[in-house]
Amino acid sequence: MRKEPPLATPEKLAAWMAAASRLLLMLDYDGTLVPIAPTPDLARPDPELLATLQKLSLSPGRVVAVISGRKLAELQKLLPLTGLHLAGSHGAEIQETGGKLYRLIEDRKLEENILSLERVARECVANSRGFLVENKGISLALHYRQADPELARQVLVSFIEKVAPIMDKNRLELLPGKKVLEIRPRGVNKGKAVQYLCGKYDGALPVYIGDDRTDEDAFMALKRGCGILVSPQSRASAATVRLSSPREVYTLLLLLAKGYF
């Protein structure tokens, strides 16, 4: 059930989470750990955030995971930390702390379908400015944050019309995000990664923090614990409470890492 989650403070949330004997902390990346940037390559963690995540992931009784729509290989480069779980491609590829890799989906035909979608996207974008086509292997993202709004609307309408037959035939779905339109296999979502981690760390208090439409699947997958929406404005969500910005998320992580409770 979706409602508008009340605004919370990092201090109160940190105190509540620190009281758990074992904590499973799961976080989205873009818009949660780091602010949304004009292009994905500009959204990078600063040294202070990396140090805080590293300390948390090595703390006794703390399990930390980052679950993102980005490819696993990207997350590995952005977050080269010890003891951190990484889930890329909306949870389709999960790397555990020891390096063991778990894949939700293995499908050669899917890669061919994504290549077909990529060709269509590049044709629709042509030489237009402000667009970015990103092939993630098992999904495709069409970014338009820097595009003219009216041109973006025209491009998206054309793209959706042209890829509809490919999607219908191959069980793919559209997923709108923050100035991005993504196509992924049906049934692949961050909620699957949350279920996997909650099953692996049964008994730990699960907390998921995220900001976008793709994080709603993760919030809904929580059977207990807490979902934390990151948003400056109140909006309907399956989350339990809300923080206003990635900066407040960092404050929460810092308080947990320093153990002020």
Side-chain angles (χ1 to χ4, degrees), residues 38-92:
T39 58
D41 60 298
L42 295 177
R44 307 189 66 83
D46 60 34
E48 291 78 13
L49 174 60
L50 289 175
T52 300
L53 281 172
Q54 182 64 92
K55 187 170 182 179
L56 262 180
S57 63
L58 295 177
S59 299
R62 305 284 183 263
V63 178
V64 184
V66 175
I67 303 174
S68 171
R70 289 179 182 249
K71 292 186 290 188
L72 179 60
E74 268 189 273
L75 292 178
Q76 291 168 335
K77 291 178 182 178
L78 290 166
L79 303 167
L81 305 175
T82 304
L84 186 68
H85 291 69
L86 296 175
S89 301
H90 301 286

Side-chain angles (χ1 to χ4, degrees), residues 63-214:
V63 178
V64 184
V66 175
I67 303 174
S68 171
R70 289 179 182 249
K71 292 186 290 188
L72 179 60
E74 268 189 273
L75 292 178
Q76 291 168 335
K77 291 178 182 178
L78 290 166
L79 303 167
L81 305 175
T82 304
L84 186 68
H85 291 69
L86 296 175
S89 301
H90 301 286
E93 2 172 50
I94 301 175
Q95 178 184 286
E96 299 181 357
T97 55
K100 181 181 176 182
L101 190 64
Y102 169 78
R103 293 188 185 277
L104 185 64
I105 187 168
E106 293 272 11
D107 190 341
R108 185 68 181 174
K109 190 170 185 297
L110 175 60
E111 294 180 13
E112 296 172 3
N113 290 330
I114 298 301
L115 281 172
S116 298
L117 294 171
E118 181 183 3
R119 285 192 288 270
V120 175
R122 295 197 185 281
E123 288 171 6
C124 290
V125 170
N127 296 317
S128 302
R129 297 180 60 183
F131 294 92
L132 173 66
V133 179
E134 184 182 11
N135 186 330
K136 299 183 181 182
I138 71 158
S139 67
L140 183 87
L142 176 54
H143 301 266
Y144 53 94
R145 179 167 299 277
Q146 294 182 297
D148 173 78
E150 179 56 28
L151 178 59
R153 188 191 68 79
Q154 294 172 12
V155 166
L156 292 177
V157 168
S158 174
F159 175 66
I160 292 170
E161 287 179 353
K162 290 180 178 179
V163 299
I166 302 175
M167 292 176 53
D168 292 342
K169 186 178 178 181
N170 296 284
R171 291 183 53 79
L172 302 172
E173 65 179 359
L174 282 171
L175 191 69
K178 292 182 176 177
K179 301 294 183 180
V180 61
L181 183 67
E182 192 154 0
I183 299 179
R184 68 182 184 189
R186 292 177 193 165
V188 173
N189 60 63
K190 294 178 181 179
K192 301 292 185 183
V194 167
Q195 290 172 346
Y196 175 82
L197 290 167
C198 286
K200 184 176 178 63
Y201 296 101
D202 186 31
L205 175 68
V207 175
Y208 184 89
I209 310 179
D211 73 302
D212 206 352
R213 164 65 188 88
T214 61

Side-chain angles (χ1 to χ4, degrees), residues 194-195 198 206 219-225:
V194 167
Q195 290 172 346
C198 286
F219 295 144
M220 290 186 286
L222 292 171
K223 301 303 180 187
R224 61 188 189 89

